Amino acid sequence: MTQSTQNLELWPIGNCQVSGLIDRTGSLVWGCVPRVDGDPTFCALLNGEKQDAGVWRFELEGQVSASQEYIRNTPNLVTTLEAEDGSAVEILDFCPRFEHTGRMYRPVAFCRIVRPIRGNPRLKVVLRPMKNHGAALPETTNGTNHIRYLIDRHPLRLSTDAPVGYVLEGRTFRIEDDTHFFLGPDEPFQGNLREQMRRMEQSTRKYWQEWSRGLATPFEWQDEVIRCAITLKLCQHEETGAIVASLTTSIPEAPGSERNWDYRYCWIRDSYYTVQALNRLGALDVLEKYLGYLRNIVDNARGGQIQPLYSVMGESELDETTAAHLAGYRGMGPVRIGNAAYKQVQHDCYGQIVLPTVQGFVDRRLLRIADENDFESLEQVGETAWAMHDQADAGLWEFRTREEVHTYSAVMNWAACDRLAKVADHLGKADRAKLWRERAQAITAKIEDKAWKPDADGEGGHYGASFESDYLDASLLQLLELNYVTPDDERFRQTFEQIEQELRRGEHMLRYAAEDDFGAPETAFNICTFWLIEALALMDRQDEARELFGTMLGHCTDSGLLSEDMDFETGELWGNFPQTYSLVGVINCAGLLSKSWSEIR
């Protein structure tokens, strides 16, 4: 992979502790240690032209082609490399994940098995991890069957049955038998490497196939939904339950835009959408872990302001710096570490804490059913939602230089009060239900008064993106999803008509068309296109919605995934990858548009 051919045709692997991205040549080009927001030990994806550092690849002598596929219903990846003389190898990539001695075994480890499948293949192992965000190659020491990479704080050990000298010196050698590589913690590998790695792969395969088997998929687009669901689960840091918005940092939203953000953190908003989508598939394990994470966030806030995002360990300070030694994706820096959005005020997060938590009170499948103490804690969040429903914030698009009272935030705070009223009814708390219902009604009145922008003739109008302005943004489409309006609501229909006129670009949807802190948007925001598809379906434009959904699926990578943004003229993917928002859109639209299972009976 060179700078000119670098793209987002990437294949995620992982185990909910670490994750990696494999490019179309079978090279590991992105992977952080010891977790998703850690030091990018494999950073070639953001290393510009320096493709021989921060990478792990196998170079087949005389290679002419490469092909890839996941083992069905797993994130275990098979890459086939073929040479001009007909010889070929398979590379099997996975991160171990399976139950062992009563616990989930998910080490900080990348496993690679190279299998000769035809002829007499010869290859070179290029294994050059980096440390300190691309600043330097680590020192190494080695033994008969291992190499130690002395990375600060998290040294790694490669255990292998390949000739260690060949690996260290980058020499080409013949592969005559299955060859195993286990890059993990700096400790001796226990047991027979060949047998243990084969057992690990089989156990990992079984875990993911059993997990996928429990998904309540729609009849149509099952493969697409399962792939998105597996990848969303890979975005959860299982130790704490946090869900990151993406596995990468600093893939620009548009070429040279410097809209390069670090998304390896847990946004309350993005996580809400993720658990909502997975709940629709019955993947309650992700919800249960995430609710535990939320309870800790609420406890630590002690009734105060909730931040828009936190680290996967719940850290609140995520100071934004740049990695000076990394050139960036295609050389388009900066590479950012941390995200200054943690300092922002974004009032929609209160609704996004309440909405997923509500399920904890009513879903009898959960291992832990929420109780009255949980309701009292949730009411503290609701109190802040009520207090902030008409206060200015940075909004869900995280404007860095201006604040307004954003309609989406106000509606999310309405949703918080509305759902608290319903939970109170469920718990038999009539007085609390009355209080929260009255507050929801008061917020509705405020939204209808302040967010509605009548036309000059007074006969029509539209909801504005904020109380103060009359510009439109795609988040207004979420008024349907949040049950604030129904599809036949006249005000919504008028708003939808104007959103299509102003923000739709053919098969794509912009977040907004107005200039922001970095100028006018240059790419479409993929989740907004999926919101458009949902609205079309709910407003009796089903055929159009299905056609547009098929078009969006056609833009997916070979791995079946999407990034955050898309060039609305060329269809090229931009932004961090894989993006949870976009995968949520695939799942939600498939569920909404699919034919019923009963149609095949």
Side-chain angles (χ1 to χ4, degrees):
M1 182 176 65
T2 65
Q3 184 181 9
S4 60
T5 61
Q6 201 171 47
N7 57 49
L8 296 182
E9 282 291 345
L10 302 168
W11 299 72
I13 60 172
N15 61 5
C16 303
Q17 172 65 40
V18 291
S19 55
L21 296 178
I22 309 292
D23 77 1
R24 57 174 51 181
T25 71
S27 301
L28 178 59
V29 295
W30 184 256
C32 301
V33 172
R35 55 179 187 258
V36 65
D37 61 353
D39 191 355
T41 302
F42 296 101
C43 55
L45 182 65
L46 299 183
N47 217 6
E49 295 180 320
K50 300 177 182 177
Q51 296 301 298
D52 284 333
V55 69
W56 185 2
R57 67 173 178 264
F58 299 100
E59 297 180 356
L60 179 64
E61 187 173 80
Q63 181 179 325
V64 293
S65 68
S67 59
Q68 290 166 297
E69 64 178 351
Y70 282 118
I71 294 174
R72 191 172 73 90
N73 294 353
T74 79
N76 296 10
L77 177 65
V78 177
T79 301
T80 302
L81 306 180
E82 296 184 273
E84 57 189 357
D85 66 359
S87 60
V89 297
E90 280 185 352
I91 305 166
L92 176 56
D93 282 299
F94 68 99
C95 295
R97 178 179 173 82
F98 50 89
E99 189 170 315
H100 179 64
T101 63
R103 295 175 293 177
M104 188 60 67
Y105 177 70
R106 41 175 171 76
V108 179
F110 300 95
C111 295
R112 315 195 76 178
I113 302 174
V114 181
R115 294 171 172 161
I117 57 174
R118 194 165 55 249
N120 300 303
R122 290 170 52 81
L123 60 75
K124 180 198 300 184
V125 181
V126 179
L127 176 50
R128 298 194 181 102
M130 300 197 79
K131 64 179 183 178
N132 300 333
H133 296 91
L137 294 167
E139 295 179 357
T140 63
T141 63
N142 64 278
T144 306
N145 300 111
H146 76 269
I147 304 170
R148 296 176 65 229
Y149 296 90
L150 304 180
I151 298 169
D152 299 347
R153 292 188 297 173
H154 299 288
L156 296 175
R157 177 186 294 238
L158 175 72
S159 299
T160 182
D161 48 17
V164 167
Y166 289 164
V167 176
L168 283 169
E169 297 177 19
R171 293 184 179 275
T172 301
F173 61 99
R174 181 181 287 202
I175 295 288
E176 296 183 331
D177 197 0
D178 289 5
T179 307
H180 304 79
F181 301 84
F182 182 93
L183 183 66
D186 184 22
E187 56 193 37
F189 190 92
Q190 299 297 317
N192 181 284
L193 182 68
R194 172 186 293 261
E195 293 178 359
Q196 290 298 321
M197 285 190 65
R198 286 181 174 179
R199 182 186 63 81
M200 286 180 185
E201 195 280 324
Q202 291 169 0
S203 297
T204 300
R205 182 187 307 199
K206 180 179 179 182
Y207 168 82
W208 285 107
Q209 291 180 339
E210 288 289 339
W211 185 83
S212 300
R213 183 169 174 260
L215 297 176
T217 58
F219 171 56
E220 295 182 270
W221 305 295
Q222 291 179 56
D223 289 338
E224 292 86 347
V225 167
I226 290 170
R227 180 54 51 202
C228 289
I230 288 173
T231 308
L232 287 178
K233 185 169 174 63
L234 291 181
C235 289
Q236 182 167 57
H237 185 67
E238 189 169 66
E239 181 181 1
T240 62
I243 301 169
V244 297
S246 183
L247 299 179
T248 59
T249 176
S250 303
I251 309 296
E253 294 180 13
S257 65
E258 295 195 14
R259 297 175 189 259
N260 299 15
W261 312 118
D262 192 349
Y263 279 3
R264 300 170 301 155
Y265 303 109
C266 183
W267 267 260
I268 302 300
R269 178 187 313 111
D270 299 54
S271 299
Y272 154 69
Y273 282 108
T274 297
V275 297
Q276 177 201 55
L278 290 177
N279 286 349
R280 289 171 173 167
L281 300 178
L284 294 182
D285 56 330
V286 177
L287 171 68
E288 287 181 312
K289 286 285 187 179
Y290 179 63
L291 290 181
Y293 179 81
L294 276 187
R295 286 191 289 270
N296 281 307
I297 293 296
V298 172
D299 286 350
N300 292 334
R302 302 186 185 280
Q305 178 180 315
I306 301 292
Q307 293 180 189
L309 68 152
Y310 296 84
S311 81
V312 296
M313 300 304 292
E315 295 176 75
S316 58
E317 295 186 10
L318 305 172
D319 293 332
E320 190 174 297
T321 60
T322 58
H325 299 280
L326 293 175
Y329 179 73
R330 298 188 187 175
M332 299 176 188
V335 173
R336 303 185 199 270
I337 307 299
N339 198 306
Y342 83 90
K343 298 178 181 178
Q344 290 186 356
V345 175
Q346 297 177 26
H347 296 319
D348 57 312
C349 64
Y350 301 106
Q352 287 142 358
I353 287 178
V354 173
L355 266 63
T357 306
V358 164
Q359 186 168 346
F361 293 91
V362 298
D363 194 329
R364 305 305 297 177
R365 296 171 296 171
L366 296 173
L367 296 175
R368 182 189 184 278
I369 303 296
D371 56 23
E372 293 194 6
N373 290 330
D374 295 309
F375 181 69
E376 290 177 6
S377 295
L378 202 58
E379 281 195 300
Q380 294 180 31
V381 178
E383 290 290 347
T384 310
W386 164 245
M388 297 294 136
H389 75 270
D390 59 356
Q391 301 299 301
D393 70 354
L396 81 161
W397 308 126
E398 300 183 341
F399 298 121
R400 293 199 168 198
T401 60
R402 69 176 190 262
E403 290 189 349
E404 295 177 307
V405 181
H406 288 93
T407 304
Y408 176 84
S409 295
V411 172
M412 267 295 177
N413 289 323
W414 165 84
C417 296
D418 176 74
R419 277 32 165 211
L420 281 168
K422 292 176 180 176
V423 172
D425 276 333
H426 177 75
L427 296 176
K429 296 178 176 291
D431 56 335
R432 304 307 296 171
K434 181 175 182 293
L435 171 70
W436 290 111
R437 194 167 291 114
E438 288 173 347
R439 287 179 170 180
Q441 292 167 351
I443 296 175
T444 297
K446 183 69 67 69
I447 293 169
E448 296 304 310
D449 178 47
K450 298 293 186 180
W452 180 252
K453 314 297 178 182
D455 291 341
D457 59 12
E459 295 186 2
H462 64 85
Y463 289 111
S466 75
F467 287 9
E468 297 89 343
S469 308
D470 63 358
Y471 74 93
L472 292 156
D473 85 27
S475 69
L476 295 168
L477 297 174
Q478 286 291 280
L479 271 60
L480 269 182
E481 170 64 34
L482 293 168
N483 295 324
Y484 179 80
V485 297
T486 57
D488 60 356
D489 182 275
E490 186 56 34
R491 285 191 167 188
F492 179 78
R493 295 184 78 88
Q494 292 180 43
T495 302
F496 179 65
E497 181 179 337
Q498 295 200 35
I499 286 176
E500 272 204 284
Q501 290 176 359
E502 293 193 21
L503 302 184
R504 187 169 179 177
R505 300 291 186 273
E507 63 191 37
H508 303 285
M509 179 68 75
L510 304 181
R511 285 173 289 184
Y512 44 82
E515 289 195 2
D516 60 16
D517 311 334
F518 291 81
E522 302 174 60
T523 52
F525 203 68
N526 289 328
I527 185 60
C528 297
T529 305
F530 288 116
W531 289 347
L532 170 66
I533 294 168
E534 292 178 46
L536 289 170
L538 293 170
M539 298 180 74
D540 299 324
R541 294 166 63 179
Q542 192 88 1
D543 290 344
E544 187 177 351
R546 287 180 64 92
E547 182 178 357
L548 185 53
F549 183 51
T551 300
M552 283 299 291
L553 292 179
H555 288 298
C556 288
T557 61
D558 289 344
S559 59
L561 306 172
L562 288 165
S563 63
E564 180 184 46
D565 306 275
M566 193 181 301
D567 186 310
F568 50 79
E569 293 183 353
T570 68
E572 183 175 7
L573 295 178
W574 289 91
N576 283 303
F577 179 91
Q579 179 72 10
T580 54
Y581 264 156
S582 301
L583 308 188
V584 163
V586 173
I587 292 172
N588 288 346
C589 288
L592 185 62
L593 296 170
S594 174
K595 296 175 183 177
S596 169
W597 282 91
S598 63
E599 294 187 34
I600 64 169
R601 293 176 184 170

